[in-house]
Amino acid sequence: MIEKPAYDWNPRSDDVQKDQIAAYDDMRHRCPVAHSEYLNWSLFRHEDVVRALHAHETFSNSVSNRLVVPNGMDPPQHTLYRRIIEPYFNAQRMEAFEPVCRQIAIELVANLPRAGEVEFISAFAEDFALRVQAAFLGWPTKLHEPLRRWTRRNHEATLARDRTAMEDVAYEFDRYIRSLLMERRNAGASAPNDLTTSLMRERVGDRLINDEEIVSILRNWTVGELSTISASVGILAYYLAGRPDLQQQLREQPALLPAAIDEILRIHAPLIANRRIATAPVEFCGRTLPADARVTLMWASANRDETVFGDPDTFRLDRDPALNLLYGAGIHICPGAPLARLELRIVMEELLGQNSRIALASGQAPVKAVYPASGFSSLPLRVERPAKDDAVFSQ
Ligand code: HEM
């Protein structure tokens, strides 16, 4: 029998928003396939999310009327664009970008107060994400502040489900990017030799990629980058602030950082969810979702499923990486994962190397971010460095 749309929970309620991770844990135990007005059908269990990820004929990504390259596409169209996108994150490009990324991290760490408290999200995590993104794409520094505002407004409009505001925000992004494309076109052969110029030369089938497609690709990368990287940096710093022993271990054995970062972000997801739409009726946990059901894959819950990870809060460096859904799985697996991993490793190397101690500030408590953001909207920290830098990792 097809399920009637009765609501099992309210994802926007104060209780959920106060502590999203705890609320999703509760839903996974109480109602792992849940219907709500705001997110429609949410899948909380690891097994169900993985099933949806690998059955892309039944769980389509074509959830919006807007062009979203490549996340809003299904094969065969999706495959065409993935072929264009993936080389931008290959090992060669990552190697070339590493020194640029490290320089940004070094400068930002140097700007932190040597002693005293700092609101780490606005003073560090957001700036790191913005500067790294702009440097990777070849965008001017004058775009940092508009992009910061754009990310906030995008989150607010999504939470409020304010379609007009969402359209306005998308339009605003389009304007910034179209003007960058125009500048490059006007410059002709003297256009900067950066990633944005390079994207303009890509071909889909027998034609050049058009501006609408370029803007959409860059929007998908920017949404992917700015909020998830800044949330990740906050989550990592908070986690280590509460665990001086782990901080010390990672300082002494930096080779453990990549696995440690993936594990901390499994425990506390920087990206809460992604969407699909069912192309046929499907059954989960004895509930039948109708064709056209909108389905939300809850990364922040699936990656904490006890049946796969045991106690979800136990930090372990020997987990099977294939089970961690931090960067998704299946055909939509994050193409930007090599860049994200590079950025997060470098920023943690610099933070741990140049600072003797990351600690929670004494007075104010951190404030958790609300959906669709994750991590913290405010994170008061002390990042204490010795007078003479004891840079363990940096040369
Ligand atoms: C910690 C940082 C990041 C996390 C946790 C993350 C996570 C994810 C996840 C879970 C997906 C799968 C979405 C789905 O199945 O619908 C995804 C897709 C994607 N990510 Fe990331 N991402 C991160 C950083 C980045 C960066 C830095 C970029 C590019 C600059 C990026 C670009 C993309 C794109 C374009 C897709 C869509 C791929 C497709 O649909 O084929 N992401 N990401």
Side-chain angles (χ1 to χ4, degrees):
M1 199 185 77
I2 301 285
E3 280 285 331
K4 288 218 182 75
Y7 299 137
D8 301 306
W9 69 308
N10 175 5
R12 283 187 288 186
S13 71
D14 290 346
D15 275 355
V16 172
Q17 292 303 323
K18 197 169 62 194
D19 186 347
Q20 292 186 73
I21 304 288
Y24 304 146
D25 279 352
D26 179 50
M27 288 304 294
R28 183 173 67 254
H29 302 145
R30 211 160 45 77
C31 185
V33 179
H35 193 242
S36 65
E37 192 220 341
Y38 180 60
L39 292 180
N40 300 112
W41 291 96
S42 297
L43 304 180
F44 290 95
R45 298 193 318 178
H46 189 277
E47 179 190 336
D48 296 337
V49 169
V50 168
R51 190 181 130 201
L53 290 173
H54 292 294
H56 52 84
E57 297 88 0
T58 316
F59 296 91
S60 162
N61 267 51
S62 186
V63 292
S64 140
N65 294 331
R66 252 188 324 127
L67 179 72
V68 182
V69 185
N71 198 241
M73 295 174 156
D74 295 322
Q77 201 190 18
H78 175 258
T79 322
L80 282 179
Y81 291 90
R82 278 292 293 221
R83 261 187 227 133
I84 295 178
I85 287 167
E86 280 173 15
Y88 286 90
F89 304 97
N90 67 20
Q92 223 179 345
R93 281 203 183 257
M94 294 305 103
E95 206 183 314
F97 187 59
E98 177 157 351
V100 180
C101 182
R102 188 173 300 280
Q103 190 52 38
I104 294 171
I106 290 174
E107 283 171 25
L108 285 170
V109 171
N111 285 342
L112 286 169
R114 272 192 187 277
E117 298 180 356
V118 67
E119 200 291 280
F120 190 72
I121 302 300
S122 54
F124 189 91
E126 282 181 0
D127 284 355
F128 176 71
L130 278 165
R131 286 187 57 180
V132 161
Q133 165 80 348
F136 183 66
L137 296 171
W139 293 355
T141 46
K142 68 174 189 225
L143 265 190
H144 290 179
E145 287 317 307
L147 280 174
R148 190 198 302 271
R149 283 197 304 273
W150 178 80
T151 310
R152 286 203 183 131
R153 289 187 36 217
N154 195 21
H155 282 165
E156 282 159 16
T158 306
L159 179 63
R161 175 98 20 103
D162 180 340
R163 295 206 188 279
T164 316
M166 280 155 89
E167 296 276 310
D168 288 351
V169 170
Y171 179 67
E172 191 183 328
F173 184 88
D174 287 19
R175 270 204 339 263
Y176 300 142
I177 307 309
R178 279 178 198 272
S179 70
L180 293 179
L181 301 184
M182 186 66 78
E183 280 166 23
R184 281 162 173 73
R185 218 157 260 140
N186 291 342
S190 52
N193 181 21
D194 60 23
L195 202 142
T196 301
T197 306
S198 162
L199 258 184
M200 294 168 73
R201 301 194 183 115
E202 295 291 353
R203 301 187 77 81
V204 203
D206 57 1
R207 64 166 173 87
L208 268 181
I209 190 166
N210 65 36
D211 282 6
E212 201 191 349
E213 291 159 331
I214 301 172
V215 169
S216 179
I217 290 174
L218 292 171
R219 196 193 303 113
N220 207 168
W221 291 3
T222 306
V223 174
E225 164 96 46
L226 294 180
S227 36
T228 45
I229 292 292
S230 128
S232 298
V233 174
I235 291 166
L236 292 166
Y238 173 80
Y239 194 86
L240 292 179
R243 290 160 186 82
D245 294 352
L246 180 58
Q247 255 185 70
Q248 191 52 28
Q249 188 188 4
L250 295 175
R251 230 177 247 122
E252 287 165 5
Q253 296 171 270
L256 298 180
L257 264 173
I261 290 171
D262 277 15
E263 173 68 350
I264 295 168
L265 299 179
R266 176 197 65 74
I267 294 170
H268 189 156
L271 175 67
I272 300 291
N274 275 98
R275 294 185 301 158
R276 298 289 188 271
I277 185 160
T279 55
V282 274
E283 199 185 305
F284 283 101
C285 276
R287 298 189 86 163
T288 306
L289 282 49
D292 291 333
R294 291 182 171 267
V295 180
T296 312
L297 312 178
M298 305 296 294
W299 311 116
S301 164
N303 249 352
R304 294 176 50 81
D305 190 330
E306 299 67 7
T307 61
V308 177
F309 301 103
D311 177 356
D313 289 310
T314 302
F315 173 88
R316 282 178 50 176
L317 289 171
D318 61 349
R319 296 194 187 271
D320 176 357
L323 296 173
N324 190 337
L325 297 176
L326 174 60
Y327 293 104
I331 63 168
H332 293 279
I333 193 166
C334 180
L339 177 63
R341 287 195 163 112
L342 172 82
E343 293 173 1
L344 296 175
R345 173 176 61 76
I346 286 179
V347 77
M348 294 320 292
E349 283 177 1
E350 292 306 325
L351 267 172
L352 293 174
Q354 296 190 27
N355 291 285
S356 56
R357 206 159 75 98
I358 306 174
L360 292 173
S362 44
Q364 290 157 290
V367 180
K368 293 197 165 116
V370 295
Y371 186 90
S374 183
F376 301 90
S377 57
S378 161
L379 179 59
L381 288 182
R382 273 182 293 124
V383 271
E384 295 169 357
R385 280 176 293 153
K388 191 171 181 306
D389 268 354
D390 225 1
V392 177
F393 303 112
S394 31
Q395 308 297 313

